[in-house]
């Protein structure tokens, strides 16, 4: 065999190995281009990170893991959450060995699994799911703190590691104790920049050279120690120079409890902040324009009957590079709703979140709702409890139909499904399905069946009758599938 023929065969094999997903097939006799559009296939690996839940000795934390059944997924797979090492701001770690027994170890897709930890020493967790467990893997971390700063119900969906996060709604004020948690799931160190923006622009910080997060470790940095300026409304920008991290902000208040502030949707000219509870007694909108252009936005509440303009807050002006806070008061007036932000003229990308308070006096509790991406093909909320869960769905434009499936419970029960139609421009607080014979907690999966985009949020209330404890998690697309382009053999590339 000639050397050129051998080289051609070797080159073709190498090309197939490098492309991985690309299909190598013979072109048809006509020589026409047979490449088709990209297809969506289930992801084969998912990473998650859960921040250290609390510094309170009274904290009780539940973890619930769930992977929806995904058509076409690998039949084999596994998932587990293990302990991350604790670290310092310099990147040094303590106890860098992972726990031998995973905190949560799911057995099969479609069945939620729960685990519990107690006290102030509970660590951050790092998780990986492969094969059948990877598409749409969701882990909810829910903590109940009986008393003290940040008491109440704190909930967070464990985050997918990334390289950039925006957190409007944080604070360095005296009554607040806010931490930014950074968790590195990888084998090499990550270098992270943290920028703080207040009402007058960027705040001078003590971490100008960045923060190093060691491999498989987690850092918690107190925002008030990063800057001497005391601000009620702060936007935290986390950007990663090298590597990737999971990031979340824990916001604790002396008087109104606390919760987790998760990253807002990417900067955009139009935003939806879904799921403001009907009995909210105070709503504060916080915005930031990261570019060099001011933004002017219309503020509307998508109520059950249609869009409503908040009296006195029809529009908001956001100066470039500065954080803007607006008190909307009892904007929902007894009806669940969602805020929609649209440009009054030129579209300028912004990020946004709202701080919501329920209850009165000493019985107040707070939670955060960031601007959220649409549900898309599918979104999931784990750790739902009978009579304690409210599902809020918003169709900001066209009407839409969604299908909601309640999984079996962690300790038993039969899955149930309901379909809802959401009118355009409205928010519906729907009665979510509950598994028949439910034992334990369960997961809710929301799928867009038809119509326009839908934004969703799940509100979970606590068991304390004396405090209006609650937490809200938005429901963006779970990214369980990925677009894979179709490719055909073209041996001509090996001769060029």
């Amino acid at each position: 065999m000639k050397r050129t023929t051998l080289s051609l065969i070797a080159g073709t094999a190498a090309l197939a190995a490098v492309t991985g997903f690309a299909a190598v097939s013979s072109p048809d006799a006509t020589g026409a281009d047979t490449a088709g559009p990209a297809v969506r296939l289930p992801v084969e690996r998912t990473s998650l990170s859960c921040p250290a839940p609390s510094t309170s000795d009274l904290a009780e934390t539940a973890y619930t893991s769930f992977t929806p059944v995904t058509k076409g997924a690998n039949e084999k797979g596994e998932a587990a959450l293990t302990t991350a090492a604790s670290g310092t701001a310099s990147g040094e770690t303590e106890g860098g060995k992972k726990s031998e027994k995973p905190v949560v170890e799911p057995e099969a897709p479609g069945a939620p699994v729960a685990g519990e930890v107690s006290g102030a020493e509970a660590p951050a967790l790092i998780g990986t799911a492969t094969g059948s467990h990877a598409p749409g893997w969701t882990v909810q971390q829910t903590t109940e703190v009986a008393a003290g700063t940040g008491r109440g119900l704190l909930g967070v969906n464990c985050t997918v590691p990334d390289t950039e996060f925006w957190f409007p709604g944080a604070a360095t004020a005296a009554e607040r104790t806010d931490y930014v948690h950074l968790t590195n799931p990888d084998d090499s160190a990550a270098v992270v920049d943290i920028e703080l923006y207040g009402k007058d622009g960027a705040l001078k910080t003590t971490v100008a050279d960045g923060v190093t997060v060691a491999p498989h470790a987690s850092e918690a940095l107190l925002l008030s120690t990063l800057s001497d300026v005391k601000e009620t409304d702060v936007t935290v920008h986390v950007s990663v120079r090298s590597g990737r991290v999971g990031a979340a902000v824990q916001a604790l208040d002396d008087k109104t409890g606390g919760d987790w502030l998760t990253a807002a949707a990417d900067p955009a000219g139009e935003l939806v902040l879904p799921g403001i509870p009907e009995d909210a007694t105070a709503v504060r909108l916080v915005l930031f324009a990261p570019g060099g252009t001011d933004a002017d936005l219309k503020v509307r509440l998508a109520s059950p009957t249609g869009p409503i303009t908040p009296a006195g807050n029809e529009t908001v002006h956001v100066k470039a590079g500065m954080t803007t806070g607006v008190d909307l008061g009892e904007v929902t007036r007894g009806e669940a709703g969602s805020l929609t932000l649209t440009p009054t003229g030129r579209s300028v990308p912004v990020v946004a979140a709202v701080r919501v308070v329920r209850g009165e006096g000493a019985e107040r509790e707070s939670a955060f709702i960031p601007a959220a991406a649409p549900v898309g093909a599918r979104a999931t909320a784990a750790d739902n409890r009978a009579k304690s869960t409210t599902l809020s769905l918003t169709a900001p434009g066209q009407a839409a139909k969604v299908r909601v499936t309640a999984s079996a419970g962690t300790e038993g029960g039969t899955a149930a499904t309901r379909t809802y139609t959401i009118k355009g421009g409205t928010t519906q607080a729907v009665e979510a399905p509950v598994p028949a014979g439910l034992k334990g907690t369960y997961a809710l999966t929301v799928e867009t069946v038809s119509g326009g985009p839908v934004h969703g949020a799940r509100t979970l209330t606590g068991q304390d009758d004396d405090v209006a404890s609650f937490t809200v998690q938005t429901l963006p697309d779970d990214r369980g599938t990925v677009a894979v382009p179709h490719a055909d053999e073209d041996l001509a590339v090996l001769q060029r």
Side-chain angles (χ1 to χ4, degrees):
M1 185 178 293
K2 292 183 180 181
R3 180 175 297 176
T4 54
T5 304
L6 288 171
S7 298
L8 183 61
I9 294 173
T12 304
L15 180 64
V18 170
T19 55
F21 283 111
V24 180
S25 57
S26 301
D28 60 24
T30 64
D33 182 6
T34 59
V39 296
R40 300 201 67 86
L41 298 177
V43 300
E44 296 186 351
R45 183 182 179 88
T46 298
S47 296
L48 294 176
S49 64
C50 309
S54 179
T55 56
S56 172
D57 291 333
L58 303 176
E60 299 289 338
T61 301
Y63 295 94
T64 307
S65 169
F66 180 74
T67 298
V69 176
T70 303
K71 183 179 180 180
N74 193 320
E75 293 183 359
K76 298 181 179 180
E78 59 183 6
L81 284 169
T82 53
T83 300
S86 61
T88 66
S90 63
E92 298 176 357
T93 62
E94 300 176 0
K97 182 179 179 181
K98 293 181 179 180
S99 63
E100 295 181 1
K101 183 180 179 181
V103 177
V104 176
E105 192 170 19
E107 296 181 358
V113 175
E116 297 180 350
V117 296
S118 299
E121 302 302 320
L125 302 180
I126 295 172
T128 301
T130 60
S132 59
H133 287 270
W137 186 37
T138 300
V139 177
Q140 168 79 11
Q141 173 183 297
T142 307
T143 302
E144 292 193 64
V145 179
T149 298
R151 53 102 181 101
L153 193 66
L154 296 81
V156 62
N157 273 328
C158 298
T159 58
V160 176
D162 209 337
T163 58
E164 185 175 44
F165 305 85
W166 292 97
F167 300 99
T172 56
E175 68 273 13
R176 286 276 288 273
T177 306
D178 287 16
Y179 293 86
V180 57
H181 288 247
L182 308 172
T183 305
N184 178 6
D186 296 327
D187 296 332
S188 58
V191 180
V192 183
D193 289 320
I194 300 175
E195 299 168 317
L196 306 181
Y197 297 91
K199 59 183 176 58
D200 297 319
L203 306 182
K204 185 178 180 180
T205 70
T206 60
V207 288
D209 296 330
V211 176
T212 299
V213 186
H216 306 291
S218 186
E219 309 278 358
L221 294 92
L222 180 60
L223 292 187
S224 61
T225 65
L226 303 185
S227 174
D228 294 331
V229 182
K230 302 303 179 184
E231 296 265 2
T232 300
D233 301 310
V234 172
T235 298
V236 180
H237 181 214
V238 174
S239 57
V240 184
R241 294 188 207 172
S242 61
R244 58 178 188 154
V245 298
V249 171
Q250 189 178 45
L252 310 177
D253 191 281
D254 291 341
K255 297 181 179 179
T256 60
D259 209 342
W260 289 95
L261 170 59
T262 55
D266 291 341
E270 298 185 9
L271 298 173
V272 178
L273 297 84
I276 301 174
E278 61 183 16
D279 58 352
T281 54
V283 176
R284 185 170 180 85
L285 172 64
V286 182
L287 310 100
F288 180 76
T293 305
D294 292 1
D296 288 287
L297 299 164
K298 296 177 184 178
V299 180
R300 299 291 184 270
L301 180 75
S303 75
T305 56
I308 296 174
T309 301
N313 293 294
E314 296 84 359
T315 62
V316 59
H317 179 74
V318 186
K319 294 182 179 180
M322 302 180 188
T323 299
T324 298
V326 180
D327 272 324
L328 301 178
E330 299 181 42
V331 65
T332 58
R333 300 191 179 279
E335 293 185 319
S338 302
L339 286 182
T340 62
L341 306 176
T342 56
T344 60
R346 177 183 177 184
S347 180
V348 176
V350 296
V351 293
V354 291
R355 181 172 183 253
V356 179
V357 176
R358 294 176 67 233
E360 300 286 350
E363 298 182 0
R364 289 178 295 168
E365 231 274 72
S366 58
F368 295 85
I369 305 173
V375 166
R378 183 183 65 192
T380 300
D383 191 6
N384 296 283
R385 307 167 188 183
K387 299 181 181 180
S388 297
T389 296
T390 300
L391 184 62
S392 180
L393 300 172
T394 302
Q398 297 179 335
K401 181 179 291 186
V402 297
R403 179 170 54 244
V404 180
T405 300
S407 73
T410 52
E411 301 173 17
T414 304
T417 299
R418 291 184 64 179
T419 300
Y420 305 88
T421 298
I422 313 300
K423 295 180 180 180
T426 72
T427 294
Q428 303 297 327
V430 304
E431 183 179 348
V434 176
L438 171 65
K439 294 181 179 180
T441 63
Y442 64 101
L444 284 173
T445 301
V446 182
E447 300 170 277
T448 304
V449 176
S450 61
V454 174
H455 299 253
R458 184 279 310 272
T459 298
L460 183 66
T461 55
Q463 304 301 315
D464 189 347
D465 294 333
D466 296 329
V467 178
S469 59
F470 74 115
T471 182
V472 182
Q473 281 74 55
T474 58
L475 299 172
D477 191 291
D478 65 19
R479 297 189 287 187
T481 61
V482 63
V484 178
H486 177 81
D488 283 313
E489 179 185 273
D490 183 5
L491 298 182
V493 300
L494 302 177
Q495 299 172 336
R496 294 172 185 166

